[in-house]
Amino acid sequence: MEDRSFSRHIAQALEAQQRFRASRPPFTPAASLAVEEERLSAVLRTLEERLTDNYPFFHPSYAGQMLKPPHPAATAAYLMAMQINPNNHARDGGPATAALELESVAAIARMFGFETHLGHLTSSGTIANLEALWVARSLHPERSIAFSSNAHYTHGRMCQVLGVKGIVLDSFDRFEEAVRTHDIGTVVVTLGTTSTGELEPLAALLPAARRLGVRVHIDAAYGGFFTLLSQGNAPSVEPSGFSLVRECDSVVVDPHKHALQPYGCGCVLFRDPAVGRFYKHDSPYTYFTTAELHLGEISLECSRAGAAAAALWATLQCFPLERHRGLGPVLQECRDAALSFSALLAGSALLAQYRPPELDIVTYLPRTAPFTATAVTAMTDDIFTTLMNDPADPVYLATLSVPSDAVRKYHPSFVPDAPTTRILRSVLMKPEHAPYVPELFRRVENEVRRRTEQM
Ligand SMILES: *Cc1c(COP(=O)(O)O)cnc(C)c1O
C-alpha cells in the first residue's frame, strides 16, 4: 500500500471516531487535558528522533530476528478501534470487538481443522502457552510437563510459575520410556521452533501420547500460519505435523508473528470446550460450548486491547486464511525466500547450511579453514558485526549458538573443538525477502571470501 492511500485510511479511522462521537450530545472536553499544539508537535519530533535508534525492521536488508511492522490494514483498524478503547476482558468491555475476536479466533480454528474449540486472543504467545499449561496442570495436577530442549525458553519458566515439574527432553526418541520415568502428563510439541523453524515429530509422538494418556499441546506461536502451505496437493511445507494439530488438545499461534499484526496479539485454542470449567471465577457455572463462548470467563488475563481483535479481524478480511489467496501467498513468498537461500548455500564453497529450512528461517555458517567450532564462531561474530556496521549499506543478520555435535552431524569434516558453535541465522519473514535473497547472499559470501583469502 503506498503512503498516500495509507494516509487516507488513517484519516478514515479518525473520521469514524468523529462520527461515533457525533451520535451523542456535545460536551466540553476537560481543560486539564489540553496540551498546546506546539508542545505536542515538539514532543513528537523528539520522539521521532528517539525512535531512529532502531533497526530497519521494514526493509529486506533486515534479515535478523522475528521483527517486522504490521500491515497498514492492521494499523488503520487498530487506530479506528483504539480511539474507543474497548477492553476484551468481557463482553461489556466492548461488544463489537468481542464479536470480532470470536470471528477471528473461529477462522484460526478452521485453519487448523478443529471441529470444536474454545479459545481467544491473548497479549502474547507466552501468555497463551501459560494458559494451555495451566489447563494441562488442572487436568493432571500431579504429573509433569515435557518439552524438548529446542522449545521456547518460556515453557520452563511457566512450569515454575505453575509449580509443575518441567522435563526437558534432549530428543523425543525414547518418548515412551520418558513418560514412564517422569510421569509425564502433557507434552509440548513445537511446530516451528524459534531458533531454526524446526517442525518437531508430532506424527511419531501422537499415537504413543494417546496410548499413554498424555495431553498434547502444540506450540505453533511462530509456525502456526504455515499450516496454510501444508494444505492442498502440492504442499510447500511438510504436512504430516500440521495435519494432526486438529487431533491435539491445545494449540498456540501468534498473529503478531506471521499474521501481519502489531505486538499484543497471541491466540490459544483448546479442542475440548469443556476445559472452560477451569476458568470459573465468580460467574455462575456454565457448561461451555462454542455457542456460549463468553470472553470474560475464558481468559487468564483480564484487560486486553479490543483494538487488537479489530486489527486482526480487518486484516483477515483483506488476507483470508487460504492457501492460494490472502495470507497463503504472503507466506509462500517467505518460504520461497528460504528455499532459494538454501539452494544458494548448496552451491557455495564459502558458506554451508546448518539445517535445511522447514519454514522461512535459514541457518548457515562460514566454511572456515580450519573448519572448527572456534574458527566458525569467531568469523560468525565478525561477519555479523561488520555487516551491521557497514556505513554505506548495512545488512542485519542474527547469530545462533548450536551444539557443536549437531554441526558435525551435517558436516563430518567439522571439528567440534568447543561445546557450542555460533552460526548465522536469518528470519526471512517478509515477502520482500524473496527478491532480495541474491543480494543478501552475495553480501554474506563476500565477507567470507575477504576473510578466507587473508587466511
Ligand atoms: C515467539 C514464540 C513464543 C513466545 O511468544 P511471545 O509472543 O513472544 O510471547 C513461544 N513459542 C514459540 C515457538 C515462539 O516462536
Side-chain angles (χ1 to χ4, degrees):
M1 209 180 294
E2 358 102 45
D3 286 351
R4 184 111 52 77
S5 85
F6 185 39
S7 303
R8 262 204 309 276
H9 293 127
I10 294 299
Q12 192 181 348
L14 300 175
E15 288 156 16
Q17 177 60 7
Q18 284 159 8
R19 281 192 289 271
F20 184 55
R21 291 192 166 215
S23 68
R24 299 294 304 151
F27 64 98
T28 314
S32 58
L33 293 174
V35 182
E36 264 176 60
E37 208 177 312
E38 260 318 295
R39 173 83 191 117
L40 180 53
S41 291
V43 169
L44 290 176
R45 278 194 301 274
T46 309
L47 177 61
E48 178 179 347
E49 177 59 33
R50 298 281 296 264
L51 288 176
T52 58
D53 186 14
N54 262 306
Y55 303 106
F57 305 134
F58 64 91
H59 197 270
S61 63
Y62 183 84
Q65 310 284 0
M66 296 168 171
L67 289 156
K68 65 173 176 181
H71 192 276
T75 307
Y78 200 104
L79 177 63
M80 190 183 278
M82 186 189 65
Q83 295 169 92
I84 301 168
N85 209 19
N87 186 336
N88 276 19
H89 78 98
R91 216 177 156 278
D92 290 349
T97 47
L100 297 174
E101 176 165 338
L102 294 183
E103 285 174 41
S104 307
V105 168
I108 293 174
R110 271 197 304 279
M111 173 182 80
F112 286 123
F114 276 25
E115 279 167 19
T116 56
H117 74 276
L118 181 81
H120 59 89
L121 301 179
T122 60
S123 328
S124 70
T126 303
I127 297 296
N129 278 317
L130 171 65
E131 197 157 320
L133 299 190
W134 172 67
V135 165
R137 189 200 64 177
S138 304
L139 284 160
H140 296 308
E142 306 300 330
R143 298 168 72 184
S144 62
I145 295 178
F147 40 87
S148 84
S149 48
N150 291 320
H152 198 263
Y153 72 93
T154 49
H155 289 288
R157 188 184 281 179
M158 292 306 153
C159 282
Q160 284 184 0
V161 171
L162 293 167
V164 179
K165 195 157 168 216
I167 304 289
V168 181
L169 303 174
D170 283 331
S171 89
F172 288 113
D173 288 348
R174 302 221 300 272
F175 178 62
E176 300 213 26
E177 194 183 311
V179 170
R180 292 195 186 93
T181 315
H182 302 290
D183 192 19
I184 293 169
T186 299
V187 61
V188 177
V189 180
T190 306
L191 290 183
T193 58
T194 315
S195 51
T196 67
E198 177 182 352
L199 303 174
E200 293 188 331
L202 178 59
L205 279 173
L206 190 61
R210 282 285 166 264
R211 197 165 59 248
L212 300 168
V214 173
R215 264 180 90 76
V216 180
H217 169 61
I218 303 299
D219 183 359
Y222 187 75
F225 290 102
F226 282 94
T227 298
L228 298 172
L229 304 189
S230 75
Q231 295 166 349
N233 42 23
S236 64
V237 157
E238 169 56 38
S240 61
F242 285 118
S243 66
L244 291 171
V245 171
R246 58 191 307 205
E247 294 176 34
C248 298
D249 298 289
S250 51
V251 58
V252 158
V253 60
D254 265 352
H256 69 203
K257 282 195 180 130
H258 250 310
L260 313 171
Q261 298 308 293
Y263 285 117
C265 195
C267 177
V268 62
L269 290 170
F270 297 92
R271 186 166 52 97
D272 178 7
V275 301
R277 68 186 182 277
F278 296 118
Y279 295 87
K280 187 174 171 300
H281 43 101
D282 58 359
S283 60
Y285 178 82
T286 331
Y287 186 80
F288 290 83
T289 66
T290 323
E292 293 167 41
L293 272 172
H294 199 313
L295 286 175
E297 292 175 323
I298 54 152
S299 168
L300 210 52
E301 295 174 90
C302 183
S303 296
R304 277 191 300 108
L312 179 59
W313 179 87
T315 306
L316 295 183
Q317 299 305 301
C318 304
F319 298 91
L321 299 176
E322 291 178 28
R323 170 105 204 266
H324 296 293
R325 63 177 197 123
L327 196 64
V330 176
L331 295 183
Q332 186 61 54
E333 286 178 283
C334 304
R335 175 73 180 137
D336 288 344
L339 289 175
S340 58
F341 198 98
S342 175
L344 290 171
L345 285 170
S348 173
L350 298 164
L351 285 166
Q353 177 157 272
Y354 174 56
R355 286 189 101 256
E358 292 183 80
L359 300 177
D360 59 355
I361 301 172
V362 288
T363 48
Y364 49 104
L365 54 150
R367 291 185 191 270
T368 56
F371 197 28
T372 61
T374 322
V376 168
T377 298
M379 198 185 286
T380 292
D381 287 347
D382 193 20
I383 291 174
F384 169 74
T385 329
T386 306
L387 281 175
M388 185 164 77
N389 293 311
D390 185 308
D393 189 6
V395 166
Y396 303 86
L397 311 172
T399 63
L400 173 70
S401 271
V402 297
S404 296
D405 292 343
V407 181
R408 196 186 165 86
K409 234 178 45 199
Y410 294 103
H411 302 285
S413 67
F414 179 78
V415 182
D417 66 346
T420 60
T421 307
R422 211 144 42 241
I423 63 169
L424 292 161
R425 164 175 174 266
S426 289
V427 179
L428 304 176
M429 72 183 310
K430 295 185 288 270
E432 292 86 359
H433 278 133
Y436 186 76
V437 159
E439 166 71 4
L440 176 65
F441 195 81
R442 187 186 63 79
R443 293 290 302 276
V444 186
E445 242 192 355
N446 278 349
E447 293 302 319
V448 184
R449 186 174 296 114
R450 278 205 302 132
R451 286 167 178 80
T452 41
E453 277 167 4
Q454 285 164 10
M455 272 177 178

